[in-house]
Amino acid sequence: DSGHNGALAWHLTVEQTAAEYASLGNEYLRTRSADVREVGGRVLLNLLGHAVSGDNLNRPGILIATDIGLGEIAHIDPKVVLGICTGQGGATSHTAILLGNLGIPAVMGLGDRLSTIGEGDMVIVDGDKGTVIAKPSSEMLDDYQRRLEALHAERDQARRESLALAFTRDGKWVEVVANIGSTAEAKAATANGAEGVGLYRTEFLFLARQIPPGEDEQFSAYRDAALALEKRPLIIRTLDIGGDKFLPYLRYEAEANPFLGVRGLRLSLQHRDIFKTQLRAILLTAAEFPVRIMFPMVTTPAEWREAIALLSEARSEVADRGVYLPPRIETGMMVEVPGAALQAEQFAPLVDFFSIGSNDLTQYTLAAERGNAALATLADGLHPAVLRLIQYIVEAAHRHGKWVGICGEMAGDAAAVPLLVGLGIDELSMNAAAIPLIKQLIRTLDYSAMQVLAKASLTLETAGDVRALVMEQVSGE
Ligand code: PEP
Ligand code: MG
């Protein structure tokens, strides 16, 4: 009637329908407007002939996209999608983290430069360096082919040795564990030589559904992950929602700055039923397996105490059912907020361990959002300001006899590991695919030399300077 083409007519109708849902009085129905838009968007892509789905990707290649949502990653098969380039996003965004777990090389935040790549072009994606080469010369292609073969040979060798512990040349053990978000990743962790799990991101269980998973469903998921670890320790992080992750069923006020808003533990403390259900499911798992608990985004000692009080209520509820729980279940906090890092001395007596969430600690320290492509160079955990905070946390923890892990992306970054070892980090938690090579790297390092290197890096000006120093000193070893 209006003379629009099919795609525009569809789009306008979807928007109108979504707006009608959004204006309803019932909270549940109101949040369904997002579902209408999501389905509408998929149909629109089909109408425009741009649909991207697992079915369309039927031969191996490189996927080029403006952006990839967390939900879309579920459709990606690593055998078909050999590499990914996106216009938006950053190296520590949750999308990048999930792709890393799948072992898919990805370079994000390329902006307009993506438009120079055409359908069917030959492309080299170097995920280690963060570079993309479109239409490479045949010499370059040969060179990369050789490097890829050498990398595969090095990986095979590293994988064979990955089950052994990693000691520095002068005998310091550095525990190497995995970050997981599912049971499949727990299996990959074990196969790659993880000595346990340093971070189980439980929020992936809660995403892409209409109601939160109940206690039984969560218990069964945590138990499956623990079983896959064959008695190795498992650190389960409680729900970290907010920031770039939303749940339609949690009442959530719109926020101007979600990363600075009601996120992580703050949100759990506002939704005590959901929080305690999760704590009970974790405790039930801890009754059978070596489980530790950690809370995300802790900012003040008062929040920590509140979380511990709820944990102890959950404990009594589980114990009242006649379940035997180990008397001591190690409980730690993630250090992701600079203010909490600077109060490490106050937190250390309260906690059993610290785990540094360097992705968030970096974005908050440098006021550079982790998913913002324009700030990718600034949001680098090797910035001396971030390293100083890490040093401060480690020193405070060790003074109180507590151990410190790091579970942000820098734990699996070969340029960061020499410094983290030098700063005295006890445990590195990373995506499973990175474990074999990082263990090999640790075996080449000298702890006392890394202490000197770490100290020198603190006095530099930029993350780039620090990277250059590490390259010069460590590759020369
Ligand atoms: C971090 O912030 O470094 C972290 C490990 O938590 P997440 O990436 O899930 O925010
Ligand atoms: Mg975090």
Side-chain angles (χ1 to χ4, degrees):
D1 290 347
S2 315
H4 298 317
N5 66 21
L8 183 57
W10 170 259
H11 174 67
L12 294 174
T13 309
V14 166
E15 280 304 310
Q16 190 188 337
T17 312
E20 279 165 20
Y21 270 94
S23 67
L24 294 175
N26 177 302
E27 167 77 20
Y28 176 80
L29 289 175
R30 217 169 32 237
T31 53
R32 298 283 67 71
S33 70
D35 298 348
V36 173
R37 283 209 173 87
E38 156 119 35
V39 175
R42 281 176 190 231
V43 174
L44 185 61
L45 283 173
N46 277 280
L47 285 172
L48 294 172
H50 294 320
V52 175
S53 75
D55 302 341
N56 275 20
L57 303 172
N58 48 20
R59 64 193 164 87
I62 310 286
L63 178 62
I64 312 275
T66 311
D67 199 9
I68 297 181
L70 281 177
E72 284 163 320
I73 293 182
H75 303 289
I76 288 178
D77 175 356
K79 288 198 207 65
V80 179
V81 178
L82 306 179
I84 293 188
C85 308
T86 68
Q88 296 168 12
T92 64
S93 66
H94 284 100
T95 302
I97 290 169
L98 282 189
L99 292 175
N101 288 347
L102 287 171
I104 300 178
V107 178
M108 322 204 73
L110 289 162
D112 288 344
R113 284 169 291 177
L114 274 189
S115 59
T116 59
I117 304 175
E119 178 81 31
D121 280 355
M122 176 65 77
V123 176
I124 296 174
V125 180
D126 185 339
D128 285 333
K129 281 210 203 120
T131 55
V132 175
I133 304 164
K135 301 187 208 133
S137 63
S138 60
E139 293 83 51
M140 195 166 265
L141 209 50
D142 287 347
D143 177 42
Y144 260 93
Q145 200 63 46
R146 271 194 298 276
R147 281 160 65 176
L148 197 59
E149 279 157 23
L151 186 66
H152 283 158
E154 196 187 338
R155 280 224 177 108
D156 287 345
Q157 164 84 3
R159 201 165 288 131
R160 279 194 292 279
E161 293 168 13
S162 69
L163 296 183
L165 299 179
F167 290 89
T168 61
R169 283 202 320 226
D170 46 351
K172 181 179 196 291
W173 174 50
V174 182
E175 190 175 358
V176 180
V177 293
N179 292 346
I180 65 165
S182 65
T183 302
E185 285 174 11
K187 289 186 182 143
T190 310
N192 280 282
E195 289 146 38
V197 160
L199 166 64
Y200 182 170
R201 287 187 169 96
T202 57
E203 52 277 4
F204 295 124
L205 267 172
F206 288 70
L207 293 169
R209 50 189 297 152
Q210 306 304 334
I211 50 165
E215 183 184 305
D216 291 348
E217 188 180 339
Q218 287 186 60
F219 172 44
S220 143
Y222 304 152
R223 194 173 185 281
D224 284 349
L227 272 171
L229 292 178
E230 299 165 1
K231 305 203 168 74
R232 295 173 181 84
L234 165 63
I235 301 184
I236 303 182
R237 172 177 83 179
T238 61
L239 200 53
D240 183 15
I241 289 296
D244 57 352
K245 289 175 282 188
F246 300 95
L247 298 181
Y249 45 85
L250 276 194
R251 242 180 68 80
Y252 207 85
E253 302 297 335
E255 296 177 309
N257 295 297
F259 273 117
L260 300 180
V262 184
R263 193 193 154 187
L265 182 61
R266 300 171 188 178
L267 191 69
S268 291
L269 292 175
Q270 287 192 0
H271 294 271
R272 288 165 182 247
D273 286 350
I274 292 181
F275 189 37
K276 273 178 60 185
T277 302
Q278 178 170 42
L279 292 173
R280 284 193 303 271
I282 296 174
L283 289 167
L284 286 169
T285 319
E288 293 178 54
F289 300 93
V291 165
R292 299 174 183 142
I293 303 174
M294 85 182 166
F295 303 121
M297 284 288 294
V298 179
T299 308
T300 65
E303 272 174 0
W304 167 268
R305 289 195 185 95
E306 216 176 321
I308 290 295
L310 290 170
L311 178 61
S312 115
E313 278 178 29
R315 199 185 160 96
S316 312
E317 287 160 17
V318 170
D320 284 350
R321 299 179 202 160
V323 177
Y324 173 79
L325 288 172
R328 181 158 173 269
I329 298 171
E330 272 193 53
T331 307
M333 73 178 252
M334 290 190 72
V335 189
E336 310 189 87
V337 179
L342 291 168
Q343 282 197 302
E345 192 64 45
Q346 281 71 44
F347 278 110
L350 308 178
V351 305
D352 291 315
F353 63 90
F354 287 129
S355 183
I356 300 173
S358 55
N359 305 331
D360 280 315
L361 187 62
T362 304
Q363 78 163 344
Y364 295 131
T365 302
L366 299 167
E369 195 195 306
R370 56 198 271 190
N372 187 330
L375 302 173
T377 312
L378 182 60
D380 186 337
L382 270 75
H383 191 287
V386 180
L387 297 176
R388 274 186 193 273
L389 285 177
I390 295 175
Q391 178 197 40
Y392 187 80
I393 299 162
V394 172
E395 287 179 358
H398 288 177
R399 265 196 298 278
H400 290 267
K402 307 295 163 72
W403 62 267
V404 186
I406 184 154
C407 58
E409 289 305 283
M410 69 190 287
D413 176 351
V417 166
L419 300 170
L420 298 174
V421 169
L423 289 171
I425 289 281
D426 303 287
E427 176 235 51
L428 296 168
S429 191
M430 65 198 72
N431 82 62
I435 289 175
L437 286 177
I438 294 294
K439 278 194 167 179
Q440 289 294 56
L441 171 62
I442 293 168
R443 294 179 184 125
T444 67
L445 301 174
D446 197 63
Y447 174 47
S448 51
M450 292 310 110
Q451 285 179 296
V452 177
L453 178 70
K455 219 165 164 197
S457 71
L458 298 176
T459 63
L460 299 178
E461 206 167 277
T462 66
D465 297 342
V466 174
R467 283 186 185 274
L469 179 72
V470 175
M471 281 285 277
E472 179 194 306
Q473 303 267 318
V474 177
S475 43
E477 279 231 341

